[in-house]
Amino acid sequence: QASANNRTWVASVSKQRLVTLLYCHCSYLFYTTIMMRFFIASIWLFYLCTLASTFTIVPSSNSWKGRVETKVYLSTGDQVESIDMGDVGFVLLAGGTGSRMKANMPKQFLTLRGVPVLHHSLSLFLEGLYHHCLNSGKSAPPCVVLVLDPKYQPEYQPIVDKYGGRLSFANPGVERQGSVENGLNKLIEVSNGNCDFVAVHDSARPLVTVEEITNVVRDAKEHGAAVLGVPCKATIKESEDGSLVLRTIPRARLWEVHTPQVIKIETLQRGFAKVEAEQLEVTDDVSIVEALGEPVKITLGEYTNLKITTPEDMNVAESILEKRDSQPINMFI
């Protein structure tokens, strides 16, 4: 009987242990499930908060309904402070031959990240910058003049038609100065004289940013003329004969200038008249303002705003766009 009682006691203890183990196991599964759900929910909450920080609700101009618009950010992570550009017209120079590229076509038509180099600037001025201004409650640039060889204009006519008056052609001149003057005259014509400033940009600089354009336009409105530039990093030597060094020019005073170069139209017209009357030689647009003895503000730009001149430049530009994860627009579509 004692043996039977012992067996009963052992069985009872075993059942209790089994129940305890089952209880512990179920509790573990229950709390693990709860914690896992809490962890997943936390991840989703963090993701939604991050996503929300990259968007803003912009009230519609004709209704109280909002729409979600992507913000444009600086490289430092701050939001670009937009300015009114309703009185700024753009002249996009694309009439060059690009002989140093050693290609079978002008460099502005070479393919960069799936689209022609020229399309990067066109999409920026007609789409990116335009919508950035509107979404910020500011007036956008009303006109873009594309200075393009007449033999390529029929190919780009569908893009001109697509933008209904916001894009126009001008023919190139013999030199850059003539191309700029032709583009300026066309801009004055199509804008009915409503533009006070002109921003001249080389299509061979496809990497300029909204931030740079905004900053140089802001400076031009304050000073009358402004040019994007970066401090010169190379040591510059001067030579009279191309063989012997004459002197080393102090690097601290040297700046490499880029485009856009933004100038008050009235000032640029006076400059063209002076250059023609005195047969002056100028190498860029703000040089015309310098010839008048008027100030030109240097706006700090970015070293990435390179000019495509050689085949190696195409590789560098491709790398920069890949790093930006840029998806350019094919303007023909």
Side-chain angles (χ1 to χ4, degrees):
Q1 184 175 359
S3 177
N5 289 338
N6 287 337
R7 287 196 297 270
T8 302
W9 180 81
V10 171
S12 176
V13 171
S14 298
K15 288 180 180 179
Q16 289 178 1
R17 288 181 176 176
L18 180 61
V19 170
T20 301
L21 287 173
L22 288 173
Y23 175 77
C24 292
H25 183 66
C26 291
S27 298
Y28 173 77
L29 291 177
F30 175 77
Y31 286 110
T32 300
T33 304
I34 293 296
M35 292 302 293
M36 183 61 69
R37 290 181 177 178
F38 176 77
F39 178 70
I40 293 174
S42 299
I43 292 177
W44 271 104
L45 181 61
F46 175 77
Y47 171 76
L48 291 174
C49 290
T50 303
L51 185 65
S53 68
T54 62
F55 290 88
T56 183
I57 301 297
V58 180
S60 176
S61 58
N62 53 9
S63 73
W64 286 102
K65 294 181 179 180
R67 66 185 188 276
V68 178
E69 299 288 354
T70 305
K71 287 183 178 179
V72 181
Y73 285 87
L74 303 178
S75 57
T76 56
D78 298 323
Q79 185 180 357
V80 174
E81 183 182 351
S82 183
I83 62 171
D84 193 289
M85 295 195 190
D87 59 348
V88 182
F90 282 77
V91 171
L92 181 58
L93 303 177
T97 59
S99 57
R100 282 176 287 181
M101 281 298 296
K102 300 177 182 178
N104 58 359
M105 66 178 71
K107 58 190 174 185
Q108 59 268 29
F109 304 124
L110 296 176
T111 300
L112 176 61
R113 202 162 173 80
V115 300
V117 169
L118 173 58
H119 289 210
H120 290 263
S121 297
L122 281 175
S123 64
L124 177 63
F125 296 150
L126 294 170
E127 295 288 343
L129 179 64
Y130 184 83
H131 291 294
H132 167 66
C133 290
L134 294 183
N135 295 341
S136 302
K138 307 292 185 180
S139 298
C143 306
V144 176
V145 174
L146 176 60
V147 180
L148 189 65
D149 192 305
K151 70 180 179 181
Y152 296 109
Q153 290 181 11
E155 182 180 354
Y156 278 78
Q157 187 62 47
I159 303 178
V160 173
D161 297 337
K162 175 182 176 181
Y163 286 94
R166 288 175 49 208
L167 179 64
S168 304
F169 288 129
N171 293 336
V174 177
E175 301 292 341
R176 176 195 173 90
Q177 178 185 331
S179 295
V180 173
E181 191 166 11
N182 291 348
L184 176 63
N185 291 335
K186 186 66 176 182
L187 175 64
I188 295 171
E189 174 191 333
V190 298
S191 68
N192 296 316
N194 291 325
C195 286
D196 294 326
F197 291 86
V198 58
V200 183
H201 185 62
D202 291 331
S203 63
R205 294 187 184 273
L207 304 179
V208 68
T209 64
V210 168
E211 176 191 1
E212 290 177 288
I213 296 171
T214 301
N215 290 340
V216 73
V217 169
R218 182 184 294 109
D219 284 345
K221 289 193 172 190
E222 180 179 350
H223 298 275
V227 56
L228 283 174
V230 292
C232 189
K233 293 189 291 186
T235 298
I236 307 297
K237 304 285 187 181
E238 182 181 357
S239 173
E240 287 185 334
D241 57 5
S243 177
L244 298 176
V245 173
L246 179 64
R247 67 182 178 119
T248 300
I249 301 176
R251 186 170 56 189
R253 301 178 60 184
L254 297 179
W255 285 73
E256 176 187 327
V257 296
H258 299 165
T259 64
Q261 301 187 8
V262 187
I263 306 168
K264 194 172 180 62
I265 289 178
E266 181 270 334
T267 302
L268 189 56
Q269 288 176 314
R270 285 192 291 111
F272 279 135
K274 181 179 178 65
V275 168
E276 182 177 358
E278 300 180 14
Q279 294 295 300
L280 301 177
E281 182 178 346
V282 293
T283 56
D284 68 348
D285 314 309
V286 293
S287 295
I288 299 175
V289 182
E290 296 168 34
L292 292 172
E294 299 188 15
V296 176
K297 177 70 169 65
I298 298 176
T299 303
L300 182 62
E302 299 179 18
Y303 288 99
T304 53
N305 186 16
L306 59 86
K307 184 176 182 179
I308 293 179
T309 306
T310 65
E312 292 76 18
D313 295 330
M314 289 288 286
N315 297 330
V316 176
E318 185 78 32
S319 298
I320 293 171
L321 289 172
E322 184 177 355
K323 185 176 180 180
R324 291 179 181 176
D325 194 24
S326 174
Q327 299 298 326
I329 299 174
N330 188 334
M331 304 300 288
F332 288 131
I333 298 177

